[in-house]
Amino acid sequence: MNFTGAHILSIKQFERADIQRIFDVADAMEPYALRRKVTRVLEGAILGNMFFEPSTRTRVSFGSAFNLLGGNVRETTGFESSSLTKGESLFDTARVLSGYSDVICMRHPQAGSVAEFAEGSRVPVLNGGDGANEHPTQALLDLYTIRKELRANGRSIDGLRIAMIGDLKHGRTVHSLCKLLCLFQNISVCLVSPKELAMPDYIVEGLRSAGHKVTITDDLASSIGNIDIAYSTRIQEERFASKEEADLYRGRFRLNQSIYTQYCEPNTVIMHPLPRDSRADANELDNDLNANPNLAIFRQADNGVLVRMALFALVLDVADQVDKYSREVNWYNSLRSN
């Protein structure tokens, strides 16, 4: 695809070569993400960060990525602080705010809303999550993490064995990741969830049409013994009609160190899009896994900055200019020594 000026709305936009291009640029961003260098390649550029649904990691990750490229960030959080509460359409909002920004990131609780917004925007729009539909940048950072973790074990994405665990019906992260995996070869996907929260049929059919092996089960123990990646998700309480309905499923697929030791291969990587629900009645990834070197959830979050920096650099056509506007840093930062 031609990244310059493009909206990033769905995984369906990408071919395998596009993914490789994004990952190559993300690799080149590491010195800047780790504060070994500073670049001002986007000095003067403005990111409109519009999040109409609660977010910590994604919102701050987008903003940090843009700041690390030298740009400025303007934020809108919550419906109550926007003119949408006065009846303004997404098209009108986009038409106006795109005049104040060079690129916009948007999260919205309704599926298809970010694409609708993009129709009115005069600048590129990046989808930060639209309801239970898609979360393309999360899928990209997830796959980038999978690639890095597998490389450490001499493996590649082709031939991946992955279990996706939890609320697969409402989990937009796993929806987008499955679509992305369709670009690769010989993948085994085990979908572990209650029947009521199963992966949508069209996504399962897409995986199988791509030639991948798909297993559907509600038994965790039998699903995690022969995999490379255990990808856990929380119960998406905000997608249910009530907390009481969500509580019916909370805590059903808990992974702790004891279960990991008993059932998983020694190098099985544990991933989660975060936030993990650490409340006692949920606790899908126990805190006793924090000392496990295969717990990749924080490396996963760090990788989000690299991938989002890459997308900004590609969409704004500065990927080949980043080093030209760089310099060494002059302050202490512990990230540089990690």
Side-chain angles (χ1 to χ4, degrees):
M1 67 175 286
N2 180 8
F3 284 96
T4 303
H7 301 307
I8 305 297
L9 303 176
S10 171
I11 290 301
K12 293 182 291 186
Q13 295 174 245
F14 302 124
E15 301 292 339
R16 183 160 172 165
D18 302 322
I19 304 304
Q20 187 60 54
R21 174 64 172 149
I22 294 168
F23 289 177
D24 287 345
V25 176
D27 287 343
M29 296 299 171
E30 186 168 332
Y32 303 100
L34 294 179
R35 322 304 197 269
R36 296 189 184 118
K37 292 182 179 180
V38 174
T39 181
R40 310 307 298 172
V41 70
L42 289 183
E43 185 172 15
I46 296 174
L47 165 66
N49 225 15
M50 301 178 59
F51 277 71
F52 298 116
E53 192 175 50
S55 172
T56 304
R57 270 151 302 281
T58 302
R59 179 175 57 83
V60 176
S61 177
F62 270 122
S64 295
F66 206 75
N67 287 150
L68 287 167
L69 291 169
N72 301 304
V73 181
R74 300 289 181 267
E75 292 199 335
T76 297
T77 56
F79 282 105
E80 67 281 355
S81 60
S82 78
S83 291
L84 294 172
T85 60
K86 303 174 185 177
E88 184 174 58
S89 68
L90 285 172
F91 181 92
D92 286 0
T93 302
R95 199 70 180 166
V96 172
L97 293 185
S98 59
Y100 306 152
S101 309
D102 295 281
V103 62
I104 292 173
C105 295
M106 185 179 180
R107 171 173 286 187
H108 195 283
Q110 295 179 356
S113 55
V114 180
E116 180 183 348
F117 179 91
E119 291 179 1
S121 177
R122 293 173 281 175
V123 300
V125 175
L126 279 65
N127 185 355
D130 59 329
N133 182 33
E134 279 207 61
H135 197 346
T137 65
Q138 180 71 46
L140 289 167
L141 75 88
D142 286 343
L143 192 67
Y144 185 73
T145 301
I146 289 169
R147 186 187 72 154
K148 291 179 76 172
E149 298 291 327
L150 291 182
R151 276 185 171 178
N153 296 323
R155 300 285 305 280
S156 68
I157 298 172
D158 291 322
L160 170 70
R161 302 167 301 164
I162 184 170
M164 299 183 184
I165 305 160
D167 185 355
L168 306 184
K169 176 181 179 180
H170 301 108
R172 59 192 172 200
T173 61
V174 288
H175 296 173
S176 289
L177 181 55
C178 283
K179 294 175 183 178
L180 200 53
L181 291 176
C182 290
L183 298 175
F184 294 82
Q185 296 179 346
N186 192 32
I187 292 176
S188 296
V189 183
C190 188
L191 303 174
V192 188
S193 72
K195 293 180 180 179
E196 297 85 354
L197 302 182
M199 186 72 77
D201 289 342
Y202 78 94
I203 294 179
V204 175
E205 292 167 5
L207 287 166
R208 287 177 171 155
S209 295
H212 300 327
K213 178 183 177 182
V214 180
T215 304
I216 299 173
T217 182
D218 61 0
D219 182 55
L220 178 65
S222 65
S223 307
I224 58 176
N226 190 33
I227 58 172
D228 302 301
I229 305 288
Y231 190 110
S232 180
T233 66
R234 68 181 175 88
I235 298 300
Q236 304 276 308
E237 181 179 319
E238 63 273 24
R239 311 290 177 211
F240 288 81
S242 66
K243 180 180 183 298
E244 290 70 26
E245 183 182 354
D247 286 342
L248 296 174
Y249 308 102
R250 205 185 309 275
R252 291 271 293 272
F253 298 105
R254 298 183 181 185
L255 183 60
N256 58 30
Q257 185 59 49
S258 176
I259 292 171
Y260 181 93
T261 301
Q262 183 176 358
Y263 295 106
C264 292
E265 294 178 351
N267 290 325
T268 301
V269 175
I270 306 166
M271 295 177 59
H272 191 297
L274 299 179
R276 57 174 167 172
D277 190 340
S278 295
R279 291 174 289 188
D281 59 343
N283 203 25
E284 65 264 9
L285 287 184
D286 198 288
N287 287 334
D288 70 1
L289 289 165
N290 288 353
N292 188 321
N294 295 309
L295 183 73
I297 60 176
F298 303 117
R299 297 192 291 273
Q300 191 178 350
D302 288 345
N303 288 335
V305 174
L306 294 170
V307 168
R308 289 170 177 132
M309 288 177 75
L311 289 171
F312 285 134
L314 288 164
V315 166
L316 296 179
D317 197 23
V318 296
D320 298 326
Q321 303 176 50
V322 174
D323 291 340
K324 178 181 176 182
Y325 293 88
S326 70
R327 62 172 175 81
E328 300 298 316
V329 301
N330 58 359
W331 64 86
Y332 169 77
N333 191 301
S334 61
L335 291 176
R336 279 177 275 171
S337 59
N338 291 340

